[in-house]
Protein backbone atom coordinates (compact mmCIF):
# COMPACT_ATOMS: atom_id res chain seq x y z
CA UNK A 1 0.00 0.00 0.00
CA UNK A 2 2.83 2.37 0.96
CA UNK A 3 4.57 1.62 -2.34
CA UNK A 4 1.62 3.09 -4.25
CA UNK A 5 2.20 6.47 -2.57
CA UNK A 6 5.78 6.72 -3.79
CA UNK A 7 6.62 9.46 -6.26
CA UNK A 8 7.66 8.58 -9.81
CA UNK A 9 11.24 9.59 -9.00
CA UNK A 10 11.38 7.27 -5.98
CA UNK A 11 10.04 4.35 -8.00
CA UNK A 12 12.55 4.99 -10.79
CA UNK A 13 15.41 5.07 -8.28
CA UNK A 14 14.21 1.76 -6.87
CA UNK A 15 13.96 0.17 -10.33
CA UNK A 16 17.43 1.47 -11.20
CA UNK A 17 18.75 -0.24 -8.06
CA UNK A 18 17.49 -3.55 -9.43
CA UNK A 19 13.95 -3.81 -8.04
CA UNK A 20 12.39 -4.59 -11.38
CA UNK A 21 9.01 -5.48 -9.84
CA UNK A 22 8.51 -1.85 -8.73
CA UNK A 23 8.17 -0.89 -12.37
CA UNK A 24 4.66 -2.41 -12.25
CA UNK A 25 3.58 0.55 -10.06
CA UNK A 26 4.53 2.94 -12.84
CA UNK A 27 2.73 0.76 -15.40
CA UNK A 28 -0.43 0.75 -13.27
CA UNK A 29 -0.14 4.49 -12.74
CA UNK A 30 0.07 5.46 -16.42
CA UNK A 31 -1.51 2.65 -18.43
CA UNK A 32 -5.10 3.94 -18.55
CA UNK A 33 -4.36 7.53 -19.47
CA UNK A 34 -1.72 6.59 -22.01
CA UNK A 35 -4.05 3.95 -23.46
CA UNK A 36 -6.83 6.54 -23.82
CA UNK A 37 -4.48 8.89 -25.63
CA UNK A 38 -3.24 6.13 -27.93
CA UNK A 39 -6.75 4.89 -28.66
CA UNK A 40 -7.86 8.39 -29.61
CA UNK A 41 -4.81 8.83 -31.83
CA UNK A 42 -4.76 5.38 -33.44
CA UNK A 43 -8.55 4.90 -33.47
CA UNK A 44 -8.52 1.26 -32.40
CA UNK A 45 -8.00 -0.80 -29.24
CA UNK A 46 -5.67 -3.43 -30.63
CA UNK A 47 -3.07 -1.01 -32.03
CA UNK A 48 -3.34 1.15 -28.90
CA UNK A 49 -2.56 -1.77 -26.58
CA UNK A 50 0.26 -3.06 -28.75
CA UNK A 51 1.92 0.35 -28.98
CA UNK A 52 1.41 0.94 -25.25
CA UNK A 53 3.20 -2.33 -24.43
CA UNK A 54 6.06 -1.25 -26.66
CA UNK A 55 6.18 2.16 -24.94
CA UNK A 56 6.52 0.64 -21.46
CA UNK A 57 9.31 -1.66 -22.67
CA UNK A 58 11.12 1.24 -24.34
CA UNK A 59 10.78 3.38 -21.23
CA UNK A 60 12.16 0.57 -19.06
CA UNK A 61 15.11 -0.04 -21.37
CA UNK A 62 15.98 3.65 -21.40
CA UNK A 63 15.38 4.28 -17.72
CA UNK A 64 19.14 4.48 -17.14
CA UNK A 65 19.30 7.48 -19.50
CA UNK A 66 16.47 9.27 -17.66
CA UNK A 67 18.23 12.00 -15.67
CA UNK A 68 15.22 13.62 -13.96
CA UNK A 69 15.69 16.78 -16.05
CA UNK A 70 11.97 16.65 -16.77
CA UNK A 71 9.05 14.91 -15.09
CA UNK A 72 8.75 11.19 -15.82
CA UNK A 73 5.24 11.79 -17.20
CA UNK A 74 6.58 14.31 -19.75
CA UNK A 75 9.34 11.92 -20.79
CA UNK A 76 6.99 8.94 -20.97
CA UNK A 77 4.25 10.76 -22.94
CA UNK A 78 6.88 11.86 -25.45
CA UNK A 79 7.67 8.18 -26.01
CA UNK A 80 3.94 7.44 -26.29
CA UNK A 81 3.29 10.29 -28.75
CA UNK A 82 6.31 9.46 -30.94
CA UNK A 83 5.44 5.76 -30.97
CA UNK A 84 1.90 6.58 -32.05
CA UNK A 85 3.21 8.74 -34.87
CA UNK A 86 5.54 5.94 -35.98
CA UNK A 87 2.59 3.53 -36.07
CA UNK A 88 0.53 6.08 -37.99
CA UNK A 89 3.20 6.52 -40.60
CA UNK A 90 1.97 3.47 -42.50
CA UNK A 91 0.98 4.60 -45.99
CA UNK A 92 -2.81 4.56 -45.80
CA UNK A 93 -3.07 6.31 -42.47
CA UNK A 94 -0.46 8.86 -43.48
CA UNK A 95 -2.66 10.01 -46.35
CA UNK A 96 -5.66 10.31 -44.03
CA UNK A 97 -3.68 12.33 -41.53
CA UNK A 98 -2.33 14.67 -44.13
CA UNK A 99 -5.84 15.28 -45.38
CA UNK A 100 -7.09 16.20 -41.93
CA UNK A 101 -4.57 18.77 -40.86
CA UNK A 102 -4.79 20.97 -37.77
CA UNK A 103 -6.08 23.84 -39.87
CA UNK A 104 -8.90 21.88 -41.41
CA UNK A 105 -11.56 20.71 -39.00
CA UNK A 106 -14.52 21.94 -41.05
CA UNK A 107 -15.12 18.53 -42.56
CA UNK A 108 -15.88 17.26 -39.05
CA UNK A 109 -18.23 20.12 -38.34
CA UNK A 110 -20.40 19.31 -41.36
CA UNK A 111 -20.09 15.56 -40.84
CA UNK A 112 -21.41 15.57 -37.30
CA UNK A 113 -24.11 18.09 -38.07
CA UNK A 114 -25.59 15.77 -40.66
CA UNK A 115 -28.91 13.91 -40.24
CA UNK A 116 -27.05 10.63 -40.05
CA UNK A 117 -26.10 11.44 -36.46
CA UNK A 118 -29.47 12.87 -35.49
CA UNK A 119 -30.51 10.02 -33.23
CA UNK A 120 -27.09 9.55 -31.72
CA UNK A 121 -26.71 9.83 -27.95
CA UNK A 122 -24.89 13.00 -26.92
CA UNK A 123 -22.00 11.23 -25.19
CA UNK A 124 -21.62 8.79 -28.09
CA UNK A 125 -21.58 11.68 -30.52
CA UNK A 126 -18.80 13.40 -28.57
CA UNK A 127 -16.78 10.18 -28.45
CA UNK A 128 -17.21 9.67 -32.18
CA UNK A 129 -16.20 13.25 -32.83
CA UNK A 130 -13.05 12.88 -30.74
CA UNK A 131 -12.31 9.67 -32.59
CA UNK A 132 -12.40 11.61 -35.84
CA UNK A 133 -10.05 14.32 -34.65
CA UNK A 134 -6.57 14.37 -36.21
CA UNK A 135 -4.00 12.57 -33.97
CA UNK A 136 -2.33 15.76 -32.81
CA UNK A 137 -5.65 17.32 -31.73
CA UNK A 138 -6.69 14.10 -30.00
CA UNK A 139 -3.37 14.01 -28.14
CA UNK A 140 -3.68 17.63 -27.02
CA UNK A 141 -7.28 17.17 -25.84
CA UNK A 142 -6.35 14.04 -23.86
CA UNK A 143 -3.29 15.53 -22.22
CA UNK A 144 -5.04 18.80 -21.37
CA UNK A 145 -8.30 17.38 -20.02
CA UNK A 146 -7.42 13.90 -18.82
CA UNK A 147 -3.86 14.37 -17.63
CA UNK A 148 -4.53 17.99 -16.69
CA UNK A 149 -1.21 19.02 -18.17
CA UNK A 150 -0.32 22.65 -18.81
CA UNK A 151 0.11 23.99 -22.34
CA UNK A 152 3.86 24.26 -21.60
CA UNK A 153 4.15 20.57 -20.73
CA UNK A 154 2.15 19.57 -23.81
CA UNK A 155 4.35 21.74 -26.01
CA UNK A 156 7.41 20.00 -24.58
CA UNK A 157 5.96 16.57 -25.34
CA UNK A 158 4.75 17.42 -28.84
CA UNK A 159 7.82 19.55 -29.61
CA UNK A 160 5.66 22.43 -30.83
CA UNK A 161 5.22 25.98 -29.54
CA UNK A 162 2.90 26.79 -26.62
CA UNK A 163 0.93 29.08 -28.95
CA UNK A 164 0.39 26.18 -31.32
CA UNK A 165 -0.88 23.98 -28.48
CA UNK A 166 -3.40 26.67 -27.57
CA UNK A 167 -4.51 27.03 -31.19
CA UNK A 168 -5.13 23.27 -31.41
CA UNK A 169 -6.99 23.26 -28.10
CA UNK A 170 -9.18 26.23 -28.98
CA UNK A 171 -9.99 24.93 -32.44
CA UNK A 172 -11.04 21.57 -31.04
CA UNK A 173 -13.22 23.32 -28.45
CA UNK A 174 -14.71 25.63 -31.09
CA UNK A 175 -15.48 22.63 -33.26
CA UNK A 176 -17.44 20.93 -30.49
CA UNK A 177 -19.28 24.17 -29.81
CA UNK A 178 -20.26 24.44 -33.48
CA UNK A 179 -21.60 20.90 -33.41
CA UNK A 180 -23.57 21.58 -30.23
CA UNK A 181 -25.06 24.71 -31.81
CA UNK A 182 -25.87 23.13 -35.16
CA UNK A 183 -27.42 20.07 -33.59
CA UNK A 184 -29.49 22.30 -31.30
CA UNK A 185 -28.04 20.52 -28.32
CA UNK A 186 -27.68 23.71 -26.34
CA UNK A 187 -30.95 23.40 -24.41
CA UNK A 188 -30.41 19.69 -23.85
CA UNK A 189 -26.96 20.22 -22.45
CA UNK A 190 -27.33 23.47 -20.55
CA UNK B 1 -19.90 47.28 -28.25
CA UNK B 2 -16.61 45.90 -29.51
CA UNK B 3 -16.92 42.40 -31.07
CA UNK B 4 -15.58 39.75 -28.72
CA UNK B 5 -13.85 36.98 -30.62
CA UNK B 6 -13.75 33.29 -29.69
CA UNK B 7 -10.05 33.52 -28.90
CA UNK B 8 -10.75 35.84 -25.98
CA UNK B 9 -13.58 33.64 -24.75
CA UNK B 10 -11.32 30.59 -24.89
CA UNK B 11 -8.61 32.42 -22.98
CA UNK B 12 -11.21 33.56 -20.45
CA UNK B 13 -12.22 29.93 -19.85
CA UNK B 14 -8.56 28.92 -19.46
CA UNK B 15 -7.93 31.86 -17.11
CA UNK B 16 -5.22 33.30 -19.33
CA UNK B 17 -6.35 36.94 -19.47
CA UNK B 18 -5.05 39.91 -17.54
CA UNK B 19 -7.38 41.81 -15.19
CA UNK B 20 -8.38 44.41 -17.76
CA UNK B 21 -9.20 41.82 -20.43
CA UNK B 22 -11.06 39.72 -17.90
CA UNK B 23 -13.23 42.67 -16.97
CA UNK B 24 -13.97 43.40 -20.62
CA UNK B 25 -15.06 39.80 -21.28
CA UNK B 26 -17.11 39.65 -18.09
CA UNK B 27 -18.97 42.84 -18.96
CA UNK B 28 -19.61 41.65 -22.52
CA UNK B 29 -21.03 38.37 -21.26
CA UNK B 30 -23.34 40.20 -18.88
CA UNK B 31 -24.53 42.77 -21.40
CA UNK B 32 -24.77 40.87 -24.65
CA UNK B 33 -27.08 37.90 -25.12
CA UNK B 34 -25.18 36.79 -28.21
CA UNK B 35 -21.82 36.78 -26.40
CA UNK B 36 -23.35 35.02 -23.38
CA UNK B 37 -24.79 32.31 -25.60
CA UNK B 38 -21.45 31.82 -27.34
CA UNK B 39 -19.62 31.74 -24.02
CA UNK B 40 -22.03 29.25 -22.42
CA UNK B 41 -21.87 26.88 -25.37
CA UNK B 42 -18.10 27.10 -25.40
CA UNK B 43 -18.03 26.45 -21.67
CA UNK B 44 -20.26 23.42 -22.22
CA UNK B 45 -17.88 22.10 -24.88
CA UNK B 46 -15.09 22.57 -22.34
CA UNK B 47 -17.06 20.62 -19.69
CA UNK B 48 -17.91 17.85 -22.15
CA UNK B 49 -14.24 17.31 -22.99
CA UNK B 50 -13.50 17.31 -19.27
CA UNK B 51 -16.20 14.77 -18.52
CA UNK B 52 -14.87 12.18 -20.92
CA UNK B 53 -13.45 9.38 -18.82
CA UNK B 54 -10.34 7.32 -19.35
CA UNK B 55 -10.33 3.90 -20.94
CA UNK B 56 -8.29 0.90 -19.91
CA UNK B 57 -6.33 -1.79 -21.71
CA UNK B 58 -6.87 -5.52 -20.99
CA UNK B 59 -7.07 -6.54 -17.30
CA UNK B 60 -3.78 -8.45 -17.30
CA UNK B 61 -1.86 -5.71 -19.14
CA UNK B 62 0.55 -4.94 -16.27
CA UNK B 63 1.28 -8.66 -15.84
CA UNK B 64 2.00 -8.98 -19.57
CA UNK B 65 4.44 -6.05 -19.48
CA UNK B 66 6.26 -7.47 -16.45
CA UNK B 67 6.46 -10.95 -18.04
CA UNK B 68 8.01 -9.47 -21.16
CA UNK B 69 10.51 -7.52 -19.08
CA UNK B 70 11.50 -10.66 -17.15
CA UNK B 71 12.01 -12.63 -20.36
CA UNK B 72 14.07 -9.80 -21.80
CA UNK B 73 16.35 -9.53 -18.79
CA UNK B 74 16.98 -13.32 -18.81
CA UNK B 75 17.88 -13.13 -22.49
CA UNK B 76 20.15 -10.15 -21.91
CA UNK B 77 21.94 -12.03 -19.14
CA UNK B 78 22.44 -15.09 -21.36
CA UNK B 79 23.84 -12.88 -24.09
CA UNK B 80 26.17 -11.22 -21.58
CA UNK B 81 27.53 -14.59 -20.39
CA UNK B 82 27.97 -15.75 -23.98
CA UNK B 83 29.94 -12.64 -24.85
CA UNK B 84 32.04 -13.01 -21.71
CA UNK B 85 32.92 -16.63 -22.52
CA UNK B 86 33.93 -15.69 -26.07
CA UNK B 87 36.07 -12.85 -24.77
CA UNK B 88 37.71 -15.25 -22.26
CA UNK B 89 38.60 -17.72 -25.01
CA UNK B 90 40.05 -14.89 -27.08
CA UNK B 91 41.94 -13.65 -24.03
CA UNK B 92 43.49 -17.09 -23.42
CA UNK B 93 44.47 -17.36 -27.09
CA UNK B 94 46.09 -13.93 -27.04
CA UNK B 95 47.95 -14.78 -23.79
CA UNK B 96 49.23 -18.00 -25.42
CA UNK B 97 50.52 -16.20 -28.49
CA UNK B 98 52.17 -13.52 -26.32
CA UNK B 99 53.80 -16.18 -24.16
CA UNK B 100 55.14 -17.99 -27.18
CA UNK B 101 56.51 -14.77 -28.64
CA UNK B 102 58.17 -13.91 -25.31
CA UNK B 103 59.75 -17.34 -25.07
CA UNK B 104 61.18 -16.98 -28.57
CA UNK B 105 62.64 -13.57 -27.68
CA UNK B 106 64.14 -14.75 -24.37
CA UNK B 107 65.65 -17.94 -25.79
CA UNK B 108 67.18 -16.21 -28.82
CA UNK B 109 68.67 -13.16 -27.04
CA UNK B 110 69.99 -14.35 -23.67
CA UNK B 111 70.15 -18.14 -23.64
CA UNK B 112 73.30 -18.28 -21.44
CA UNK B 113 71.99 -15.88 -18.76
CA UNK B 114 68.73 -17.72 -18.13
CA UNK B 115 68.66 -19.93 -15.12
CA UNK B 116 68.18 -23.63 -15.59
CA UNK B 117 64.75 -23.51 -13.91
CA UNK B 118 63.38 -20.80 -16.16
CA UNK B 119 64.92 -22.44 -19.23
CA UNK B 120 63.35 -25.79 -18.50
CA UNK B 121 59.85 -24.40 -17.92
CA UNK B 122 60.10 -21.93 -20.77
CA UNK B 123 61.21 -24.76 -23.03
CA UNK B 124 58.24 -26.86 -21.97
CA UNK B 125 55.76 -24.04 -22.57
CA UNK B 126 57.52 -23.18 -25.81
CA UNK B 127 57.33 -26.77 -27.01
CA UNK B 128 53.65 -26.92 -26.12
CA UNK B 129 52.84 -23.66 -27.87
CA UNK B 130 55.01 -24.63 -30.86
CA UNK B 131 53.10 -27.85 -31.08
CA UNK B 132 49.80 -26.00 -30.75
CA UNK B 133 50.74 -23.57 -33.48
CA UNK B 134 52.42 -26.20 -35.55
CA UNK B 135 51.51 -26.54 -39.19
CA UNK B 136 49.10 -29.32 -38.40
CA UNK B 137 47.00 -27.44 -35.85
CA UNK B 138 47.45 -23.91 -37.16
CA UNK B 139 44.73 -24.20 -39.82
CA UNK B 140 42.19 -25.62 -37.37
CA UNK B 141 43.06 -23.06 -34.70
CA UNK B 142 42.88 -20.21 -37.20
CA UNK B 143 39.47 -21.35 -38.43
CA UNK B 144 38.11 -21.71 -34.90
CA UNK B 145 39.42 -18.28 -33.91
CA UNK B 146 37.97 -16.66 -37.04
CA UNK B 147 34.62 -18.33 -36.39
CA UNK B 148 34.59 -17.15 -32.77
CA UNK B 149 35.53 -13.63 -33.83
CA UNK B 150 32.79 -13.58 -36.47
CA UNK B 151 30.16 -14.77 -33.98
CA UNK B 152 31.24 -12.34 -31.28
CA UNK B 153 31.42 -9.55 -33.85
CA UNK B 154 27.85 -10.28 -34.88
CA UNK B 155 26.60 -10.24 -31.28
CA UNK B 156 28.48 -7.04 -30.52
CA UNK B 157 26.97 -5.41 -33.60
CA UNK B 158 23.51 -6.64 -32.64
CA UNK B 159 23.93 -5.34 -29.09
CA UNK B 160 25.10 -1.95 -30.36
CA UNK B 161 22.18 -1.78 -32.79
CA UNK B 162 19.63 -2.46 -30.04
CA UNK B 163 21.22 0.10 -27.71
CA UNK B 164 21.17 2.71 -30.47
CA UNK B 165 17.52 1.94 -31.25
CA UNK B 166 16.53 2.24 -27.60
CA UNK B 167 18.26 5.56 -27.16
CA UNK B 168 16.73 7.04 -30.28
CA UNK B 169 13.29 7.15 -28.59
Amino acid sequence: MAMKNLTDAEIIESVKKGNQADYSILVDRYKNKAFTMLKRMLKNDFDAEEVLMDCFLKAYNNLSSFKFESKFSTWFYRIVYNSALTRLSSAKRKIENEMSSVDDLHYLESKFSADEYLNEEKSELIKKMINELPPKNAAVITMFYLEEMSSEEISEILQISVANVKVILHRSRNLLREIIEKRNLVQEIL
Amino acid sequence: MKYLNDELLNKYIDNELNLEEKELVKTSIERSLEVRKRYETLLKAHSLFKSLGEESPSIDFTKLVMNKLNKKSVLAQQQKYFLLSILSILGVAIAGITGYALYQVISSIQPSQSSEFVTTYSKDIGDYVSNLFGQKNLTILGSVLSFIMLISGYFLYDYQKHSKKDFSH
Side-chain angles (χ1 to χ4, degrees), chain B residues 26-106:
Chain B
K26 209 175 163 188
T27 317
S28 302
I29 290 169
E30 281 167 2
R31 289 183 186 171
S32 162
L33 186 71
E34 187 269 330
V35 176
R36 195 184 317 144
K37 197 183 156 199
R38 263 196 299 141
Y39 167 69
E40 284 176 347
T41 324
L42 204 58
L43 193 65
K44 198 62 219 174
H46 172 69
S47 310
L48 278 174
F49 275 136
K50 221 173 184 175
S51 68
L52 285 170
E54 59 183 34
E55 295 182 60
S56 34
S58 55
I59 304 163
D60 56 349
F61 180 79
T62 307
K63 203 176 157 189
L64 285 171
V65 173
M66 296 314 287
N67 282 346
K68 279 208 169 185
L69 281 179
N70 287 335
K71 267 187 198 169
K72 228 177 169 183
S73 51
V74 169
L75 266 173
Q77 211 159 19
Q78 282 174 349
Q79 203 180 27
K80 199 174 131 189
Y81 287 139
F82 183 74
L83 274 171
L84 273 174
S85 54
I86 287 170
L87 286 172
S88 308
I89 294 168
L90 281 172
V92 169
I94 289 164
I97 294 166
T98 315
Y100 175 68
L102 275 172
Y103 165 74
Q104 290 294 330
V105 171
I106 291 165

Side-chain angles (χ1 to χ4, degrees), chain A residues 56-72:
Chain A
F56 278 117
L57 297 178
K58 269 183 205 165
Y60 181 84
N61 289 335
N62 292 315
L63 219 51
S64 55
S65 67
F66 179 67
K67 304 285 183 233
F68 301 97
E69 282 158 2
S70 61
K71 285 204 284 184
F72 173 77

Side-chain angles (χ1 to χ4, degrees), chain A:
Chain A
M1 217 28 208
M3 289 296 280
K4 304 262 176 197
N5 298 326
L6 291 175
T7 63
D8 289 352
E10 285 168 331
I11 297 167
I12 292 163
E13 285 295 355
S14 173
V15 175
K16 278 184 177 181
K17 280 177 190 163
N19 303 316
Q20 195 190 56
D22 287 353
Y23 190 65
S24 64
I25 306 169
L26 278 181
V27 177
D28 279 335
R29 195 169 283 179
Y30 287 99
K31 67 178 179 186
N32 288 356
K33 283 173 179 143
F35 176 76
T36 309
M37 179 169 138
L38 282 168
K39 197 183 160 187
R40 287 176 188 172
M41 286 180 78
L42 302 171
K43 321 296 181 199
N44 84 72
D45 286 49
F46 182 77
D47 281 358
E49 189 156 328
E50 203 176 65
V51 173
L52 184 62
M53 171 83 71
D54 196 36
C55 291
F56 278 117
L57 297 178
K58 269 183 205 165
Y60 181 84
N61 289 335
N62 292 315
L63 219 51
S64 55
S65 67
F66 179 67
K67 304 285 183 233
F68 301 97
E69 282 158 2
S70 61
K71 285 204 284 184
F72 173 77
S73 56
T74 309
W75 183 73
F76 178 66
Y77 278 107
R78 198 181 302 151
I79 295 176
V80 172
Y81 181 71
N82 288 336
S83 302
L85 289 188
T86 307
R87 177 61 66 102
L88 283 165
S89 63
S90 61
K92 196 184 164 193
R93 284 175 176 152
K94 199 174 179 181
I95 294 164
E96 285 170 2
N97 293 332
E98 278 165 2
M99 281 172 70
S100 54
S101 72
V102 176
D103 297 323
D104 178 26
L105 294 178
H106 297 294
Y107 74 103
L108 286 178
E109 188 191 315
S110 39
K111 179 176 178 177
F112 286 99
S113 302
D115 290 346
E116 190 189 331
Y117 293 92
L118 214 60
N119 298 321
E120 203 80 59
E121 277 290 315
K122 185 186 72 202
S123 58
E124 278 305 305
L125 183 81
I126 307 301
K127 272 186 188 168
K128 279 187 179 171
M129 190 218 91
I130 286 181
N131 256 341
E132 295 270 346
L133 282 173
K136 199 179 265 183
N137 295 51
V140 170
I141 290 292
T142 312
M143 284 186 272
F144 188 81
Y145 286 105
L146 197 62
E147 264 293 334
E148 295 182 341
M149 283 183 184
S150 66
S151 304
E152 286 75 17
E153 274 182 279
I154 299 173
S155 79
E156 206 184 314
I157 292 166
L158 268 59
Q159 307 277 290
I160 56 174
S161 68
V162 175
N164 215 341
V165 170
K166 284 177 185 169
V167 166
I168 293 171
L169 180 67
H170 294 170
R171 280 193 181 151
S172 305
R173 206 185 275 159
N174 289 343
L175 168 71
L176 183 53
R177 191 197 60 184
E178 300 286 337
I179 293 168
I180 291 171
E181 279 175 351
K182 288 200 176 173
R183 295 284 311 275
N184 287 323
L185 288 169
V186 186
Q187 290 310 314
E188 192 189 325
I189 293 167
L190 291 177

